[in-house]
Amino acid sequence: MAPAPRATGPLRRWFTGGGAAALAFSLPMILAFGFFSWWPILNSLILSFQQTNLVDPAVWVGLSNFAAVFADPLVAKAAMNTLWFTVLSVAVGFPLPILLAVAIGELRRTRSIASGFAYLPVIIPPVVSVLIFKQFYDPSSTGLLNTLLAGVGLGPVPWLQTAATVMPSIVIQATWAGFGAATIIYIAALAAVSPELYEAAELDGASIRSRIWHVTLPQMRSVMLIMLLLQIIGAFQVFTEPFVMTRGGPENNTLTILMLIYNYTFISGDYGRAAALSLILAAILALVSLLYLRATRGWSQGK
Amino acid sequence: MKKRARSLGAVILVTGLVALAGCSAAESGGDDDGSVTITIGNLPSTEQAASRDAILAQIKAFQKKYPDITVEAEETYWDPATFNAMVAGGTMPTVLTVPMTEIQSLGQRGQIADISAEVEASETLSALNPTIMTTVTGPEDEIFGVPINVYSQGLMFNRAIFEEAGLDPDAPPTTWAEVASAAKTITDKTGVPGLVLMTSGNLGGWTLTGMTYAFGDLMETSEDGTPVANVDNDSAIAALEFIQDARWKDNSLGANFIMTSDDSRNEFGAGRAGIVISGTDLYGDSVVNRGMDPQDFGLAPMPQAEGGLGALGGGNVQVVSATASAEQRDAATKWIDFAQIARFTDEDQAVAAAKAESADGLPVGAPGLPLVGADLFAQYNEWIAPYVNVPTENFELYASTVETIPLVPEPSQHAQELYAALDPVVQAVLTREDADIRALLGDVQTQMETLLAD
Amino acid sequence: MTSTERLYTRAISTRRESRKEKPEDTDRSILSIHDRSGRLRGMLLALKIVLLVALGVISVGPVLWLFKSATSTSQDILREPLGLWPSGIQWDNLVQAFTTIEFGKYLTNTLIIAMGTWAFGLLVATTGAYALAVLRPKYAKVLEFAVLATLFVPGVVTLTALFLTVLDVPLLHINLINTFWAAWLPASASAFNVLLMKTSFDSIPRELFEAARIDGAGATRIFLTIVLPLSRPIIGVVSLLIIIASWKDFIWPMLVLPNAALQPLSVALPRLAKTAELSLLMAGMFLSVVIPVALFLIFQKQILRSSGSMGALKG
């Protein structure tokens, strides 16, 4: 700490009371977010009430961008798809990393290998993994996955080709690409659970299942609640997988809200409408998060 | 920013910002002394050394001819995802190559310059094929760019697979009934999908639009100069019924119905497609990038039904940035003329370009449509004859028939939105046996009416 | 020895002692040493085998397939995705990737971008979380809310606005396009990393800070001597997240680094995909996967070791 400046009164109190230090430590975050997060968000907000081609000066158009969004029949379709993806991907992608982390936590010498395996897909750039999976999802009977399925007497599955199978296929790829990130966080959280708790539970004669149920899961509760929320928010923003794998097909069955925003922006060049839809999405996410946090406030305090 | 920072974080961040302040700002073109600087995009990457060197040599020659103009080349290329940000940020190079499809919407959005005055002032540019020039001409006779290569939609087919199926590769299908029977024969005899259609990334709509032209109708007609949506026409219905029958009666379209252009090129290049409806400029892509045997590559013009209007035309256009000054526009047009068009009138340029391409292993003399009149084009072909490295005998038939089929431009308004709306229609017919063609087209018709009314 | 140091060493030694009490059970988790040697031994072995085999096939399988494609001819990749080198192994592809498509240059750019992103990201996350969790000024609640709120704004939404910001940074009016700053700085505004850090800092016993303050340690010293050393595991995790995200990022560097000489692999590969031969592209993709995997394996040991001895996130 630098010596306090020759000031008196409230300023000095603020300074010696750590006010300056708090501000100095907050500064990098305030600057980073101010420049690269808060200001762009605000700017997008302004864009949603304007029409612009980014070359000529923008024109204020009031709420007409929002009206255009609600007039688009694809918005409802995209919303349903996004919801469906969210339900599927959370149903699969939320419990899987927890189970995996609990299992990996029981390994000793092979723990790092297992964690390494689990994390491997996360490292692979999307460009690469999507290309790989597109090859795997070859719908003909000679496709890679269908050949493997035929080995156990199943298939051929049409994967990305039908309305019924396309979303689960995308969820599989998205889960594959993402489960390792959550697993590694849960493994870190598990390592923080103190062994004494397990010992106590064991002395009480708790079975393994009840040790997991009464010790492990409650100890990880707050991490799990945050991860679930982040997963829901992330799923609502799904873009890369359907965009690269199916372009929203077949028949718009994988068109998501964010893809629609992308289309408004890059196909129609309609930035105002894109910004308006973005705001609507952001508002929905904020609402979902608030309700979620309110509903779980009681649970996460449990110690 | 000379505040004394009081903690680690602030020190580092401030240091960073001070360092940032030292970064240079973007330079502007046009100086006081009559000299002008332009940037050009699409410089080939280093893995195409000879083509890259050819462009750099061209720049040298150009600057010798026009000492007042400085040309700076960069590897920037057109990408729909980044173009708008590029325009907004003012980082668009003065000259960029853009797909023909994009020209009208970019022009209408004011994102590219109208260079009609400069083009009309140039002897070579004003002599370009007028049919082709319509594609870059706006509703008020603005000219939004210079076409630098052109293709028409047609049939790419695999000659080896034709032979394997007992078909004659020198007599490709010329009617839609023949296309259907060839596709069925190929599927039955070889197990390879007989006909592969692109369905995604707007190419489903692009394909259907081209088929609709071939069956005899436009997707957008014009009434007193204003475009009118005409999506639910009889030809579009006939084209979709053709697809429906090939898919559900003959089952000759394969199993993959999410097909981007890259997917279809992969399938074709790997010999997993008999016929593909695509642009006819893909010889190089199939042979060079996908390792196809040059002898297997076959081309046929788009079959025309009774009353067919012709083949949908497309290609690449060099455009000039909307923010370019008058001097830069003039310099940019001179450069486009010098680099792209002069080869048809200047033997040295033609030979140099052909030499470089063949040194890079790129095809020389691959089939395509002439940018210039027939006489000039014949002369150009004589010049480059020694460097031709493609089996031209396989394309003679295509080259002879292509002149009799008119080139029909893409819809002038909202072409991309139309294609985007038609993708799901094509996908529906391919993935659902009970798809209601009329209802699907009716929906798109309504959408387009709304769009065009704006 | 100050009372802080005493407290600190006591905290560490208590942890050590709790493990030393039963040297045979240094690293227990749900199962005790008794379970492991007893009736569950067979089950554990089965769990181990199933887990490793399943994870191996699911995670490593695709990478092996990529390796196979990287060393095949273009025609073999397309015609026989499952065939094992019908035309023989093409090791030359990997060499060609370095010579023909300048893999080395793009790799260097990727590393520069990753390291810079890591430095700035960690700086913002650690100092910000420290301010929110430990120093807690009056405006901390507001600040935290403002940071949290950015989690709900999809990235694509602000893409153009963010680009405009980088093009002409407000107040400073400098252009960051075609500089690495444009790739480094925006990524540092990651709400997720700040909150992850904050959660971890929240779990450090506050008595430690109180004691240190009584000893006259200032905010900076507490940060450097208590908070950072105690948070090594979470710093490792966040570092990993930042570096991996930077390695994978595609749209942003493509926007801000139009100059090919500065582009990272994720941007260069798709660009080259349009012109380079498929087999070379596969080789480039494979190399671009192998390197982070190798880095991760080196890095991972430290993370696991530290998270084995100390809690990263407390429930």
Side-chain angles (χ1 to χ4, degrees):
Chain A
M1 278 290 288
R6 269 170 258 154
T8 49
L11 186 64
R12 188 192 175 108
R13 258 203 310 282
W14 174 78
F15 206 96
T16 47
L23 184 63
F25 272 98
S26 308
L27 204 60
M29 182 170 69
I30 293 171
L31 288 174
F33 278 82
F35 280 123
F36 303 113
S37 192
W38 298 327
W39 163 245
I41 290 169
L42 187 70
N43 205 359
S44 300
L45 195 68
I46 297 168
L47 271 177
S48 72
F49 297 99
Q50 290 182 329
Q51 200 159 18
T52 175
N53 64 359
L54 302 180
V55 177
D56 302 323
V59 188
W60 288 94
V61 293
L63 289 172
S64 79
N65 287 323
F66 291 88
V69 166
F70 287 113
D72 185 348
L74 284 177
V75 170
K77 178 93 182 160
M80 288 310 294
N81 291 338
T82 306
L83 209 57
W84 180 223
F85 175 87
T86 305
V87 168
L88 276 179
S89 68
V90 170
V92 179
F94 177 64
L96 183 78
I98 298 173
L99 293 171
L100 209 56
V102 167
I104 290 175
E106 293 313 305
L107 299 174
R108 286 294 165 264
R109 278 187 306 268
T110 47
R111 188 193 293 185
S112 63
I113 300 177
S115 323
F117 279 180
Y119 205 70
L120 189 67
V122 179
I123 298 167
I124 295 176
V127 186
V128 178
S129 71
V130 167
L131 187 116
I132 295 175
F133 266 79
K134 257 179 109 166
Q135 288 269 13
F136 291 176
Y137 283 146
D138 182 339
S140 65
S141 51
T142 54
L144 194 139
L145 282 174
N146 280 341
T147 308
L148 296 177
L149 282 178
V152 290
L154 297 169
V157 176
W159 302 113
L160 307 172
Q161 308 299 322
T162 66
T165 54
V166 64
M167 203 54 110
S169 304
I170 289 197
V171 167
I172 290 171
Q173 197 273 336
T175 306
W176 181 85
F179 80 95
T183 306
I184 217 91
I185 289 170
Y186 287 128
I187 289 175
L190 272 173
V193 178
S194 74
E196 289 85 352
L197 291 171
Y198 290 123
E199 274 156 27
E202 201 177 352
L203 290 174
D204 291 346
S207 68
I208 293 168
R209 190 174 312 163
S210 80
R211 273 180 241 165
I212 295 178
W213 193 250
H214 293 293
V215 179
T216 313
L217 296 182
Q219 285 291 312
M220 298 214 302
R221 188 186 283 143
S222 66
V223 184
M224 275 163 38
L225 289 173
I226 287 185
M227 292 299 289
L228 179 59
L229 180 60
L230 290 174
Q231 212 150 13
I232 292 171
I233 293 167
F236 263 102
Q237 300 179 27
V238 59
F239 172 76
T240 309
E241 293 86 357
F243 177 75
V244 181
M245 262 210 286
T246 60
R247 288 294 170 109
E251 247 196 295
N252 291 330
N253 277 308
T254 52
L255 181 80
T256 65
I257 295 275
L258 220 58
M259 277 185 72
L260 210 54
I261 292 172
Y262 176 93
N263 289 349
Y264 286 169
T265 310
F266 298 122
I267 293 181
S268 315
D270 195 339
Y271 313 101
R273 194 163 50 146
L277 180 55
S278 314
L279 282 182
I280 295 167
L281 177 63
I284 290 169
L285 287 179
L287 192 69
V288 166
S289 311
L290 278 176
L291 291 174
Y292 178 92
L293 291 172
R294 179 150 298 186
T296 60
R297 198 166 34 183
W299 310 342
S300 58
Q301 299 308 325
K303 277 266 156 75
Chain B
M1 292 207 61
K2 280 187 122 177
K3 221 170 83 181
R4 272 186 57 195
R6 307 204 175 277
S7 98
L8 177 83
V11 170
I12 297 179
L13 206 93
V14 170
T15 318
L17 290 177
V18 170
L20 281 186
C23 292
S24 63
E27 87 284 28
S28 62
D31 303 313
D32 305 338
D33 57 354
S35 68
V36 60
T37 300
I38 56 168
T39 49
I40 59 160
N42 303 87
L43 178 67
S45 53
T46 46
E47 49 111 27
Q48 298 167 287
S51 299
R52 184 187 176 101
D53 293 342
I55 297 269
L56 297 174
Q58 263 189 326
I59 291 175
K60 271 209 184 92
F62 179 75
Q63 291 187 331
K64 198 177 274 178
K65 190 173 170 184
Y66 302 103
D68 288 348
I69 304 176
T70 310
V71 179
E72 291 168 357
E74 48 181 67
E75 288 182 38
T76 316
Y77 63 102
W78 156 264
D79 186 312
T82 60
F83 182 76
N84 290 312
M86 204 157 68
V87 170
T91 55
M92 178 183 167
T94 324
V95 178
L96 191 70
T97 306
V98 172
M100 204 171 266
T101 337
E102 307 287 335
I103 295 298
Q104 295 297 339
S105 52
L106 293 182
Q108 253 116 74
R109 287 209 295 267
Q111 296 185 321
I112 51 180
D114 171 11
I115 51 169
S116 48
E118 290 81 1
V119 167
E120 276 147 27
S122 156
E123 204 177 320
T124 27
L125 294 183
S126 52
L128 285 170
N129 190 334
T131 326
I132 293 170
M133 286 308 284
T134 56
T135 58
V136 295
T137 307
E140 281 151 31
D141 290 337
E142 315 95 319
I143 294 179
F144 293 126
V146 179
I148 57 165
N149 61 38
V150 199
Y151 59 83
S152 58
Q153 197 179 52
L155 307 179
M156 272 197 309
F157 65 96
N158 185 315
R159 296 175 63 93
I161 290 177
F162 262 56
E163 278 171 20
E164 198 184 333
L167 299 166
D168 179 3
D170 292 323
T174 56
T175 67
W176 287 100
E178 284 174 18
V179 173
S181 81
K184 189 170 180 342
T185 308
I186 290 167
T187 308
D188 294 346
K189 291 261 172 63
T190 67
V192 171
L195 174 66
V196 166
L197 299 170
M198 293 185 265
T199 62
S200 5
N202 293 5
L203 286 153
W206 179 83
T207 305
L208 180 62
T209 300
M211 285 175 77
T212 303
Y213 290 176
F215 276 87
D217 271 300
L218 292 171
M219 286 288 188
E220 275 177 23
T221 53
S222 167
E223 277 178 23
D224 313 327
T226 48
V228 178
N230 183 37
V231 181
D232 51 356
N233 61 67
D234 292 345
S235 298
I237 293 167
L240 284 169
E241 279 168 350
F242 168 88
I243 294 172
Q244 203 168 36
D245 289 349
R247 165 71 179 97
W248 299 103
K249 287 200 180 120
D250 301 346
N251 195 14
S252 56
L253 304 182
N256 190 351
F257 306 116
I258 307 285
M259 276 276 171
T260 62
S261 64
D262 262 342
D263 295 336
S264 72
R265 293 172 192 190
N266 275 339
E267 296 297 303
F268 185 70
R272 287 193 309 230
I275 306 170
V276 182
I277 296 178
S278 79
T280 48
D281 59 340
L282 291 183
Y283 174 88
D285 185 84
S286 307
V287 171
V288 180
N289 298 352
R290 290 169 172 83
M292 190 179 188
D293 180 346
Q295 289 297 342
D296 292 349
F297 187 90
L299 266 187
M302 196 72 169
Q304 297 297 309
E306 189 82 27
L309 303 173
L312 187 150
N316 287 305
V317 179
Q318 288 204 328
V319 299
V320 176
S321 162
T323 53
S325 64
E327 295 80 22
Q328 284 177 314
R329 279 206 305 272
D330 180 61
T333 316
K334 284 199 174 86
W335 161 257
I336 296 171
D337 179 13
F338 181 89
Q340 300 291 344
I341 311 300
R343 66 167 65 175
F344 295 106
T345 53
D346 180 329
E347 184 167 4
D348 294 345
Q349 295 242 30
V351 169
K355 251 190 193 159
E357 279 161 5
S358 73
D360 266 346
L362 297 176
V364 177
L369 293 181
L371 279 174
V372 287
D375 300 348
L376 279 178
F377 194 61
Q379 185 187 45
Y380 166 75
N381 279 331
E382 267 170 45
W383 289 337
I384 63 162
Y387 306 96
V388 167
N389 55 8
V390 307
T392 41
E393 65 281 3
N394 289 349
F395 310 124
E396 273 165 18
L397 180 80
Y398 167 77
S400 67
T401 51
V402 89
E403 309 227 337
T404 59
I405 297 175
L407 213 55
V408 186
E410 299 181 283
S412 65
Q413 298 275 322
H414 298 292
Q416 292 308 312
E417 285 100 325
L418 171 68
Y419 296 162
L422 287 173
D423 271 359
V425 174
V426 176
Q427 289 169 8
V429 171
L430 287 167
T431 56
R432 284 195 291 120
E433 194 160 9
D434 61 352
D436 181 345
I437 292 174
R438 280 163 207 273
L440 289 164
L441 286 175
D443 287 348
V444 180
Q445 172 71 18
T446 316
Q447 275 181 57
M448 290 309 291
E449 279 167 7
T450 317
L451 260 180
L452 291 170
D454 279 350
Chain C
M1 198 167 182
T2 63
S3 59
T4 319
E5 280 158 352
R6 269 200 298 277
L7 242 159
Y8 184 68
T9 41
R10 199 181 315 147
I12 301 253
S13 60
T14 331
R15 279 179 192 274
R16 285 213 187 105
E17 267 156 32
S18 73
R19 297 182 189 282
K20 268 188 194 144
E21 275 164 30
K22 299 192 205 59
E24 76 281 1
D25 196 6
T26 50
D27 193 16
R28 84 148 291 162
S29 49
I30 296 166
L31 301 179
S32 63
I33 195 84
H34 164 74
D35 294 328
R36 290 176 176 279
S37 52
R39 59 211 164 86
L40 288 175
R41 209 164 157 182
M43 257 182 66
L44 256 176
L45 188 69
L47 170 88
K48 189 196 299 195
I49 291 171
V50 167
L51 201 58
L52 289 174
V53 168
L55 277 174
V57 168
I58 288 169
S59 295
V60 187
V63 179
L64 289 178
W65 180 85
L66 184 62
F67 168 72
K68 192 219 71 175
S69 300
T71 52
S72 301
T73 65
S74 297
Q75 279 293 299
D76 286 349
I77 297 167
L78 293 168
R79 278 173 197 261
E80 302 190 50
L82 268 174
L84 287 176
W85 299 285
S87 315
I89 298 193
Q90 314 284 320
W91 292 111
D92 189 45
N93 287 355
L94 299 173
V95 180
Q96 285 256 315
F98 274 92
T99 53
T100 316
I101 59 177
E102 293 189 295
F103 184 84
K105 178 177 83 179
Y106 298 124
L107 177 64
T108 312
N109 293 339
T110 310
L111 292 173
I112 293 171
I113 291 171
M115 293 325 288
T117 308
W118 172 75
F120 284 105
L122 219 52
L123 170 75
V124 170
T126 50
T127 54
Y130 180 59
L132 292 180
V134 180
L135 300 178
R136 296 188 191 167
K138 280 196 195 70
Y139 44 87
K141 275 272 168 277
V142 181
L143 208 52
E144 192 180 348
F145 175 79
V147 169
L148 187 74
T150 64
L151 271 180
F152 310 134
V153 182
V156 161
V157 175
T158 54
L159 197 67
T160 303
L162 188 59
F163 181 81
L164 294 173
T165 306
V166 168
L167 194 89
D168 181 16
V169 180
L171 311 175
L172 302 169
H173 294 297
I174 41 186
N175 179 356
L176 303 181
I177 296 293
N178 272 334
T179 67
F180 286 128
W181 296 101
W184 291 337
L185 294 178
S188 68
S190 162
F192 183 73
N193 292 344
V194 172
L195 295 172
L196 211 58
M197 276 293 173
K198 182 186 170 288
T199 313
S200 164
F201 293 177
D202 276 337
S203 71
I204 299 171
R206 294 196 68 80
E207 306 84 79
L208 276 178
F209 308 137
E210 297 306 329
R213 277 204 192 105
I214 291 162
D215 288 336
T220 308
R221 214 173 108 207
I222 293 177
F223 180 65
L224 294 174
T225 57
I226 298 176
V227 174
L228 289 185
L230 278 174
S231 310
R232 242 179 249 143
I234 193 70
I235 289 175
V237 170
V238 169
S239 299
L240 198 70
L241 293 175
I242 294 174
I243 290 176
I244 297 299
S246 148
W247 197 281
K248 289 165 71 167
D249 198 9
F250 161 63
I251 285 245
W252 184 247
M254 178 168 72
L255 282 171
V256 296
L257 299 170
N259 182 351
L262 302 174
Q263 283 173 350
L265 278 167
S266 62
V267 180
L269 286 173
R271 183 171 58 85
L272 294 166
K274 295 180 169 53
T275 53
E277 209 189 321
L278 186 66
S279 56
L280 289 187
L281 190 72
M282 285 285 188
M285 284 188 177
F286 173 68
L287 289 171
S288 73
V289 167
V290 163
I291 291 152
V293 168
L295 285 174
F296 166 68
L297 290 178
I298 298 161
F299 206 11
Q300 177 213 15
K301 279 216 171 83
Q302 299 165 335
I303 287 188
L304 286 176
R305 199 182 304 135
S306 47
S307 55
S309 63
M310 244 168 245
L313 283 164
K314 212 178 168 80

